[in-house]
Amino acid sequence: MEELEKKLKKARSGNSKLGIFFLIIAVAILLIGILQGNSDKDSWDTFDGMSNNDYYKAEIYYLVGPFAEYTEDGTVVEQLYSAYTTDNNYILVKTGKTTDLPVFGEDVTEENIDLIQPVTAYGYGTELESEVAEFLVQFWNEVYEEEFFSMSNYIEYFGSCYLNTIDQAEDKVVAGYIFAAIFGLLALIILLSNRKNNKNNADILKRLDEEGKLEDLKNEYSKETVQQYKKLNLEITENYVISYSPKLVIVKFADIINVYPSNMIDGVYQTYRYIALETKNNEKYYVAPKPFDSKNAQFDEVLEKIRSKVKQGGN
Amino acid sequence: MVIVYGWKTNIKKEKHLGKKHCTNCSHDEDMFLAKEIFKLHIFGIPIFWKTKRRFVMCSNCGVVEELNKADYTERLKEL
């Protein structure tokens, strides 16, 4: 009896665990997103040119360069500059195709250089690839018109990392919100469909109880005469057929007046084959789904068993 | 570029055979000569399709009698 109740409870709970799991993921991503979004950028550490894998800020007077450009289909999409900071040294900065930071030779000239106010740049510390570092060395040697910088000493002057101002924390927060929305939507669909299933299952059990059949079924279930067809999610007791898929169905053999294989549900063609059960109350139930083309000996066995039980008047 | 693709199985009812007694479900229902067609599509445009089965279809229980191509064509011509 306990086993039946456990199974019915499981049939009622359905995929709620999966729905709750998705909901927890959605809430967790949302919380991380909110926390990241609320983090005060001004509290970020100042970029020292040697740090990576975190967000940093830098007070920049102006950019020099670019010494390297990234292109896509011949169009510049990203640029790498050297940047003169309020710490009176250079760091490396990656920008997009254009930048709001002042560029030496464009926004900053020898005449107005003393009037320039620093601008705060925010970005993600990223390791500079050695192939790109060669462009940096080449650029500054051309500026100085001598071979002063080399691959062995450029780190002392510019650091080994650049501040990627394209990578903003907000972008990750937005991506997080999108993921949270996807997981939230999945959770909502699963939980709503589960709620509908639960209601259907509760109605079935309530009706069986009202008709006095539930106790009868529970007693039968404890007699160890239950035949289980796991591949079809179906069980046959002395007087009842219990199907857990596609939804919970419990029908007494004595109530069944017609049994046949069907691949139509409510007039809609299915690629699955079911056993249709018509009852004397003009109700129709579909049990034991199997893909149309698959061989499943249990399907034919169950069909014959139900037919024979129905012929015997449910006994 | 994101490629939107998918597949589905359609039913094509080719001939109405009239209301007949179904030997499978024992109902008097509309019967059809029908084909089950598997379709693969990209951006909603079918690029490949294959007839999986041809059969006499009962509008209550579905496949009643599967037919081979020759028999199906013959039955179509008879009507």
Side-chain angles (χ1 to χ4, degrees):
Chain A
M1 195 188 297
E2 277 178 18
E3 203 186 339
L4 175 68
E5 282 172 356
K6 212 185 280 177
K7 280 187 178 173
L8 294 177
K9 199 177 167 188
K10 196 179 166 192
R12 289 187 67 177
S13 65
N15 290 323
S16 60
K17 279 181 188 167
L18 186 67
I20 291 165
F21 175 68
F22 280 154
L23 193 65
I24 290 169
I25 290 181
V27 171
I29 294 173
L30 198 65
L31 284 177
I32 292 168
I34 290 168
L35 288 175
Q36 277 199 350
N38 289 345
S39 72
D40 185 5
K41 282 182 164 184
D42 290 326
S43 67
W44 290 359
D45 289 338
T46 300
F47 185 60
D48 60 3
M50 304 297 282
S51 309
N52 59 5
N53 295 330
D54 205 352
Y55 287 97
Y56 298 95
K57 64 176 178 179
E59 298 290 323
I60 292 170
Y61 280 120
Y62 55 84
L63 304 177
V64 181
F67 64 86
E69 291 176 334
Y70 294 82
T71 60
E72 262 177 30
D73 300 328
T75 311
V76 175
V77 288
E78 293 173 354
Q79 303 182 102
L80 271 167
Y81 287 92
S82 307
Y84 190 63
T85 70
T86 50
D87 293 335
N88 298 321
N89 59 22
Y90 278 98
I91 59 167
L92 303 174
V93 170
K94 185 187 255 188
T95 70
K97 186 183 174 185
T98 58
T99 176
D100 295 332
L101 298 168
V103 179
F104 189 83
E106 294 174 19
D107 313 291
V108 183
T109 58
E110 296 289 352
E111 287 77 42
N112 68 0
I113 197 161
D114 295 331
L115 304 169
I116 288 293
Q117 293 298 311
V119 178
T120 309
Y122 303 92
Y124 195 73
T126 309
E127 189 85 34
L128 183 74
E129 303 92 342
S130 59
E131 309 88 76
V132 185
E134 285 178 20
F135 292 114
L136 172 73
V137 169
Q138 191 185 340
F139 174 83
W140 279 102
N141 283 339
E142 281 172 13
V143 170
Y144 277 78
E145 294 179 341
E146 61 172 300
E147 298 294 310
F148 180 78
F149 296 99
S150 68
M151 288 301 286
S152 54
N153 72 1
Y154 78 90
I155 292 174
E156 291 170 37
Y157 299 95
F158 301 100
S160 59
C161 300
Y162 62 85
L163 187 71
N164 186 357
T165 60
I166 302 161
D167 187 349
Q168 294 293 319
E170 289 92 338
D171 298 340
K172 285 186 181 165
V173 172
V174 171
Y177 286 151
I178 291 168
F179 275 111
I182 291 168
F183 277 106
L185 192 65
L186 282 174
L188 193 70
I189 291 168
I190 292 169
L191 291 173
L192 281 179
S193 99
N194 225 39
R195 196 177 154 193
K196 197 180 161 191
N197 273 348
N198 283 351
K199 195 181 173 304
N200 167 60
N201 296 356
D203 288 348
I204 289 169
L205 296 178
K206 192 180 161 193
R207 196 171 132 188
L208 282 173
D209 201 19
E210 283 169 359
E211 291 170 355
K213 291 175 180 168
L214 192 58
E215 272 314 301
D216 184 27
L217 174 67
K218 283 178 181 175
N219 289 334
E220 257 189 49
Y221 208 85
S222 60
K223 282 181 188 168
E224 294 179 354
T225 52
V226 183
Q227 290 169 295
Q228 298 196 334
Y229 299 91
K230 288 188 177 171
K231 282 184 184 171
L232 300 171
N233 260 323
L234 183 134
E235 291 170 336
I236 289 179
T237 70
E238 209 170 308
N239 291 297
Y240 291 88
V241 55
I242 306 167
S243 173
Y244 300 94
S245 176
K247 57 183 184 179
L248 183 66
V249 170
I250 302 174
V251 189
K252 196 169 186 177
F253 289 118
D255 293 336
I256 300 172
I257 53 166
N258 193 10
V259 186
Y260 54 88
S262 172
N263 56 306
M264 299 280 275
I265 290 187
D266 300 327
V268 180
Y269 188 86
Q270 310 287 320
T271 52
Y272 270 68
R273 202 104 159 112
Y274 299 83
I275 295 174
L277 309 173
E278 290 178 0
T279 70
K280 55 190 176 191
N281 300 326
N282 288 326
E283 287 163 326
K284 199 188 280 183
Y285 300 102
Y286 297 93
V287 300
K290 73 160 187 93
F292 195 104
D293 294 322
S294 82
K295 299 274 178 227
N296 187 335
Q298 284 192 350
F299 186 88
D300 298 329
E301 189 186 329
V302 167
L303 182 63
E304 281 317 305
K305 186 153 283 214
I306 297 174
R307 273 182 176 153
S308 121
K309 286 261 188 188
V310 171
K311 265 186 195 167
Q312 291 163 22
N315 298 312
Chain B
M1 188 175 77
V2 179
I3 296 175
V4 182
Y5 70 97
W7 55 86
K8 62 178 177 179
T9 302
N10 284 352
I11 288 300
K12 190 178 178 190
K13 293 177 186 170
E14 293 205 297
K15 281 283 176 187
H16 183 222
L17 304 175
K19 220 176 187 72
K20 291 187 175 178
H21 182 77
C22 175
T23 51
N24 182 50
C25 66
S26 309
H27 286 254
D28 290 329
E29 293 285 345
D30 285 322
M31 296 286 184
F32 298 89
L33 275 180
K35 280 197 237 181
E36 186 183 290
I37 304 164
F38 171 82
K39 283 182 182 175
L40 188 69
H41 59 85
I42 293 179
F43 295 113
I45 300 162
I47 55 153
F48 170 80
W49 54 91
K50 185 177 183 292
T51 300
K52 283 180 77 181
R53 59 173 60 89
R54 297 168 177 84
F55 53 91
V56 176
M57 178 183 164
C58 163
S59 53
N60 177 57
C61 66
V63 178
V64 176
E65 182 191 357
E66 281 206 49
L67 302 169
N68 61 34
K69 192 176 177 180
D71 289 345
Y72 185 84
T73 315
E74 193 63 33
R75 298 275 291 264
L76 267 180
K77 281 180 189 167
E78 281 174 15
L79 299 163

